Amino acid sequence: QVQLQESGPGLVKPSQTLSLTCTVSGGSISSGDYYWSWIRQPPGKGLEWIGYIYYSGSTYYNPSLKSRVTISVDTSKNQFSLKLSSVTAADTAVYYCARGEYSSSPDYWGQGTLVTVSS
Amino acid sequence: QSVLTQPPSASGTPGQRVTISCSGSSSNIGSNYVYWYQQLPGTAPKLLIYRNNQRPSGVPDRFSGSKSGTSASLAISGLRSEDEADYYCAAWDDSLSFVVFGGGTKLTVL
């Protein structure tokens, strides 16, 4: 069974860069059939798609965040990562990593990690 | 403003059947599979229904999904107190090239 686990700082200062890593176990991130994504959920609000990456390195980002987002993959470690620059309080959210099949919604999710943007 | 439209709330009494609707467009629900997630307080979304009407192993058959045109619905029969949660629909959007979500429906078991 595939498992995903997010890791990274829980507190980031305004204007700095948020960095998170998702470690995948129980399956290879190099499987060509899946994308690996980041999704966030502000406190008390709904889900927002951030972007996704394939093992080949091809990426797609939500246009509303595109100028600030970078998603990368490290197949040797079976991990993928998120960087979100110039954060503000509006970026405070639970960040989830998830896996999905091409043109389908995610099937496996990580447990999520709360990132608070505050000085 | 979510791309998919869900009612913000729903309710029912134990044993009852409730349905939650999800409305989209031809670029998402109309041309791709609908997924449903259950989110209990403080936890990650859990896959409840995939490919419109398929249940993952371990999901009770009290939960069922259906799709018609650009709309979908989730039905929960034999409502139980532990079903009290937020429910989200999702679908790939061909125009946006990523997954879009509904705004979520908070289900209350009275």
Side-chain angles (χ1 to χ4, degrees):
Chain A
Q1 166 130 344
V2 173
Q3 292 185 311
L4 298 92
Q5 177 68 58
E6 306 87 352
S7 60
L11 180 64
V12 181
K13 288 181 166 50
S15 79
Q16 293 191 341
T17 296
L18 177 161
S19 296
L20 296 174
T21 295
C22 182
T23 301
V24 179
S25 59
S28 173
I29 204 169
S30 298
S31 170
D33 297 328
Y34 303 105
Y35 63 76
W36 306 91
S37 64
W38 290 97
I39 299 159
R40 70 179 182 179
Q41 184 173 35
K45 296 187 178 181
L47 300 164
E48 179 182 29
W49 188 267
I50 298 173
Y52 63 89
I53 190 168
Y54 286 97
Y55 84 98
S56 62
S58 60
T59 55
Y60 193 88
Y61 305 134
N62 187 325
S64 68
L65 298 168
K66 186 176 182 179
S67 63
R68 300 193 290 131
V69 173
T70 302
I71 298 176
S72 59
V73 65
D74 187 336
T75 55
S76 67
K77 295 182 179 179
N78 227 33
Q79 295 177 333
F80 63 106
S81 299
L82 168 71
K83 291 189 186 299
L84 181 66
S85 63
S86 305
V87 296
T88 68
D91 295 310
T92 294
V94 175
Y95 285 75
Y96 297 101
C97 58
R99 183 197 85 166
E101 292 182 339
Y102 179 72
S103 293
S104 291
S105 302
D107 51 3
Y108 288 98
W109 296 62
Q111 65 184 31
T113 186
L114 174 62
V115 178
T116 301
V117 178
S118 174
S119 55
Chain B
Q1 212 84 338
S2 300
V3 175
L4 304 182
T5 302
Q6 297 180 236
S9 64
S11 64
T13 56
Q16 228 179 5
R17 183 177 187 270
V18 297
T19 61
I20 297 171
S21 62
C22 176
S23 178
S25 68
S26 58
S27 64
N28 42 66
I29 292 179
S31 52
N32 293 291
Y33 291 124
V34 177
Y35 285 52
W36 289 92
Y37 303 95
Q38 177 193 60
Q39 187 175 36
L40 298 170
T43 68
K46 168 192 169 185
L47 182 63
L48 206 58
I49 297 289
Y50 67 100
R51 295 189 179 186
N52 302 333
N53 54 18
Q54 302 300 300
R55 283 186 308 277
S57 173
V59 173
D61 59 6
R62 300 187 297 106
F63 295 90
S64 62
S66 63
K67 172 183 141 175
S68 178
T70 59
S71 294
S73 63
L74 172 71
I76 309 172
S77 59
L79 199 61
R80 304 175 70 162
S81 58
E82 57 259 41
D83 297 333
E84 191 160 284
D86 293 326
Y87 292 84
Y88 292 90
C89 60
W92 186 271
D93 190 294
D94 290 333
S95 297
L96 299 173
S97 294
F98 59 79
V99 173
V100 292
F101 294 99
T105 298
K106 185 175 184 62
L107 174 65
T108 301
V109 180
L110 301 169

